[in-house]
Structures are given as structure tokens and as C-alpha cells.
Amino acid sequence: MGQGKSEAAFTVVPDGSVTTPKGFKAGGLHCGLKKTTRHDLGAIVCDVPAAAAGVYTTNVFQAAPIQVTRESIGAGGVLRAVIVNSGNANACTGKQGEADAYEMRGKFAEAIGVPAEHVAVASTGVIGELLKMDCVRSGIAELPARLAATYEAGDDFCQAILTTDLVKKEVCVSVEVDGRLVHVAGASKGSGMIHPNMATMLGFVTTDAAIGSEALQKLLRRATDLTFNMITVDGDTSTNDMLVAMASGLAGNRELDERHPDWAAFADALTYVCEVLAKAIARDGEGATKLIEVQVRGAVSDEAAQAIAKTVIGSSLVKSAVFGADANWGRIIAAVGRAGQPVDPETVDIRLGGIVTLEASRPVAFDEEAALEYLKGDTVVIHVDLHMAEGAATAWGCDLTYDYVRINAAYRT
């Protein structure tokens, strides 16, 4: 089954960041794009040409930086750097927006002494406003001096990519490949406009594993389908979503491919990094008070299970019930039934944590007080078993609160 993995194959690095894998530096600063003094420009730079891969939003209206990054990675599957701004999405900004994204790429490439096509660009923030390029230019001139291979520099980068996020999102693991220690690390942002098929998120993965661009692309796509494409906050898919991975190869292992004996272990480590970041985005949903996890088992296929899990996690009624600590399983079964997937209406079980509320599609008497206490917790797991076949999937989201409306009613102000 797609989402299972053995955590024993890798080890979480408590103080790791995107700078932990060999060859990577990062940094961030405030250049004036945000109204506050929070960092709003950051970069990750690799000392050597890194194998690169990318996954992008499915929204038809794709922001200018996505065009630039697609072009950079497509030129040879190699990157030396990614530069990111927050506070402005540079989306729906026409020819000027495209020119600004290319200027960001060119100016930063010149500042660090690499070819322009070896630099990716990402932006996040308000849609439809032109970048303040005087601020960007001055920030790019200052940014190289802020780059370092330290945890603090990695933290500065994490802070620079945030918008309405309340917390930074980062993770690092180590895994043994050919007897050598390989690191996989990631940083992401995302809080609102989050929906499967990428979210309003930016994600960046660094690793010192030796792996080719095509193999990395395959693993990144698979990891995305199991993690970032299985989260939702509000049902909206952004114009700017991007996930970029860079591999320096400096760990010294034999190049990874599907025939390598440690391929599965590395794949599990990469997927774990993406899962931690995806769940952190869901937990930090705008106004959210709880992380919701929906586990679907017994579907006719993994794809059917994914569709059902996404439908349940995306239901405003389910999200509202969890916010109110209301054990209203009827909203869950209704979402299961409208997911457009095969379901036997006589065989469905539903549990809230360990509390059985439905068995063989029939109500089960349960302790309402116990259910209330469970739903008041900061993590709620909804189990759905269809008892049809072996398909399974897990999706993540958050509750729908009054604060979500408040935050998004005044996003531009």
C-alpha cells in the first residue's frame, strides 16, 4: 500500500534544517515587501550543481515565478539556488510580472556567480500586485552576505517564506545509503488557500544524496501524491504552489536508482520529510485549533481511498463539527457517499479515535461525553473502513473556525 513506511530506516535530526545536508547554505532578511519587519526574502544555495526536481500548482493561472522555475529545472535538471520572496505572489501581473521574475533570477545568479538558468524563483503573498523591485534589488544585493551553512541561517530562510503562517515548518532526517550517512531536509510554508493537488504552499527539500534528476523527480512526485496532495484547509488551490528538491550528491553514495538496495529507505525518508511538512501546514491552517487526520481503509483501490479521504477532510460540515466537538458521524458518512467512488452502503465502519460510532453502516451506541472529550483534543483521527478490498489512504486537514473568516476577510489589510 502506498502510504506505509518504516520509520526505522531513518532517524529524525532534532536540530536539522535545510542547511544540514552537505553543500547547502541558506539565509533570509527583510527587504521591505511586507508591512511588518518580518523577513520577506530568502534563498537556498548549493556549493555544487545539484540535481533538481519540481512539482507545481494545477491552477490554470500560474504565477510568473513558476514559469521561470520550470524553465530553469527543465534546462538540464540542475540548480545551484532558489530565491524566494513573501508578501507578494507576483501572480496575474502580466508581462511586467514575468520580467520581474526573470530579473530576480538574473540578479541573484549574478550576485552568487552562477548561470541564470541554475536559479529557481518562488513567490507567495497577495495576488495581482506588482513586486516592489527596488526592495527586491536591494535585498538581493545584501542576501549573499547572509548565507551560511548553520541552523540559524536555515531558520532565517524559514521565516522569510511565511505569510499568514503562525509557525515555521522544517524537518530533517538521516538515512544510511551504501553505509554512508545521507541527510534529507525540508522547509515549507502554507496556512490558507490549501487544497489537494498542491496547496498554497511553497516547499523546499535539500539532500546530499547522489541521485539523478529523473530519479529525484519520480520520488518527489510520488511523495507529493501521498502527502502534499492529501491535505486541505479551505478547498482553494493557489496560483503559486511549488515544491522544489535539490540533491548535492556530496554524501558520496553510489547514485540512487530503483535498482539500488537502499532506494526504498531513501524514498521513505523523502516521503517522511514531505509528510511532516504537509501535516504542519494542515495543523497551521488559518484560524485552526485542531489537526484532523482521515484514514480510509478497505477501498477498492488506493486511488478510491484517496478520493474518499480528500472528500471527508475537505467537508466544511465535518470540519465545523470537529471545531464544535460534535460527534456528528452523519456528516462523515455523507461525505463518504458523495466522493464518487465505489462504496457498499451496508459495510461501512466509522470510528472517532477509538470510539466506534458506526458499524456495518448502522449506528452504534457510544459514550457522548467520551466523544466530546476526544474531539476537544488538538488532534482528531477519523477512521473509515469500507470492508471492500485493500485500498487505503490518509488525508490531513484542520477544523473550520470563526477566525478563518476573520483572517481572510482582511487578508490585504
Side-chain angles (χ1 to χ4, degrees):
M1 212 301 295
Q3 286 187 303
K5 55 191 172 300
S6 170
E7 293 191 21
F10 54 85
T11 302
V12 175
V13 180
D15 296 321
S17 77
V18 291
T19 63
T20 301
K22 294 177 181 177
F24 289 97
K25 298 189 291 284
L29 52 79
H30 174 72
C31 72
L33 296 178
K34 288 180 179 174
K35 296 174 183 177
T36 68
T37 57
R38 291 175 66 182
H39 288 356
D40 51 19
L41 188 70
I44 299 172
V45 175
C46 190
D47 294 338
V48 298
V55 182
Y56 312 96
T57 182
T58 58
N59 196 307
V60 171
F61 295 98
Q62 297 196 349
I66 289 181
Q67 173 184 325
V68 173
T69 296
R70 282 184 185 275
E71 182 182 293
S72 289
I73 294 178
V78 171
L79 288 179
R80 288 290 303 276
V82 56
I83 183 166
V84 191
N85 77 269
S86 57
N88 186 309
N90 193 11
C92 300
T93 45
K95 294 297 183 184
Q96 185 59 53
E98 291 179 16
D100 291 344
Y102 279 109
E103 183 179 350
M104 281 182 68
R105 181 176 78 164
K107 291 286 187 185
F108 191 61
E110 183 179 355
I112 60 173
V114 303
E117 62 270 21
H118 285 181
V119 176
V121 179
S123 299
T124 183
V126 176
I127 293 171
E129 296 183 3
L130 291 174
L131 279 169
K132 299 175 183 176
M133 286 304 292
D134 54 340
C135 295
V136 173
R137 292 184 193 105
S138 63
I140 287 175
E142 188 180 344
L143 192 53
R146 302 291 189 95
L147 300 172
T150 63
Y151 175 83
E152 290 73 20
D155 183 72
D156 284 343
F157 174 79
C158 285
Q159 299 294 340
I161 66 178
L162 304 182
T163 51
T164 57
D165 307 60
L166 295 179
V167 297
K168 65 178 182 176
K169 300 153 181 81
E170 64 181 347
V171 62
C172 180
V173 302
S174 62
V175 59
E176 200 169 279
V177 178
D178 291 331
R180 297 176 179 270
L181 199 63
V182 167
H183 287 94
V184 185
S188 66
K189 64 81 52 182
S191 184
M193 201 183 279
I194 304 291
H195 191 57
N197 297 321
M198 300 296 285
T200 292
M201 56 149 284
L202 298 178
F204 307 96
V205 174
T206 60
T207 179
D208 45 21
I211 184 172
S213 178
E214 288 186 13
L216 185 60
Q217 182 69 49
K218 183 174 184 176
L219 286 182
L220 192 67
R221 166 53 66 187
R222 174 184 176 275
T224 300
D225 285 342
L226 295 175
T227 61
F228 291 113
N229 282 350
M230 294 300 291
I231 59 174
T232 188
V233 168
D234 48 22
D236 278 299
T237 300
S238 170
T239 55
N240 288 61
D241 310 329
M242 182 188 301
L243 175 63
V244 172
M246 300 169 64
S248 70
L250 295 178
N253 59 285
R254 289 184 297 115
E255 185 170 310
L256 282 156
D257 59 28
E258 290 182 274
R259 296 165 296 182
H260 195 292
D262 295 321
W263 171 261
F266 179 78
D268 282 353
L270 176 64
T271 301
Y272 177 81
V273 165
C274 292
E275 180 180 314
V276 169
L277 296 176
K279 289 168 71 174
I281 289 172
R283 185 181 291 277
D284 194 30
E286 289 171 339
T289 64
K290 302 168 188 176
L291 174 70
I292 308 173
E293 179 172 299
V294 176
Q295 296 183 9
V296 175
R297 301 292 180 266
V300 295
S301 66
D302 288 351
E303 291 72 22
Q306 287 179 332
I308 293 167
K310 286 181 182 181
T311 303
V312 175
I313 206 72
S315 165
S316 293
L317 291 178
V318 172
K319 291 155 64 70
S320 298
V322 173
F323 171 60
D326 179 10
N328 190 345
W329 57 263
R331 293 178 173 181
I332 300 169
I333 195 72
V336 171
R338 68 176 172 84
Q341 300 299 319
V343 174
D344 185 338
E346 302 296 326
T347 65
V348 180
D349 297 345
I350 293 176
R351 284 187 292 120
L352 302 175
I355 301 169
V356 178
T357 62
L358 196 73
E359 219 169 44
S361 301
R362 298 293 182 270
V364 174
F366 61 92
D367 186 334
E368 290 278 0
E369 286 301 316
L372 175 66
E373 286 305 309
Y374 176 70
L375 291 172
K376 285 181 177 178
D378 62 5
T379 300
V380 172
V381 182
I382 298 171
H383 302 270
V384 178
D385 195 335
L386 305 180
H387 292 291
M388 295 178 70
E390 300 300 317
T394 302
W396 300 274
C398 61
D399 54 342
L400 182 58
T401 71
Y402 307 124
D403 274 349
Y404 176 83
V405 177
R406 179 187 59 78
I407 291 166
N408 282 285
Y411 183 75
R412 294 197 308 154
T413 57

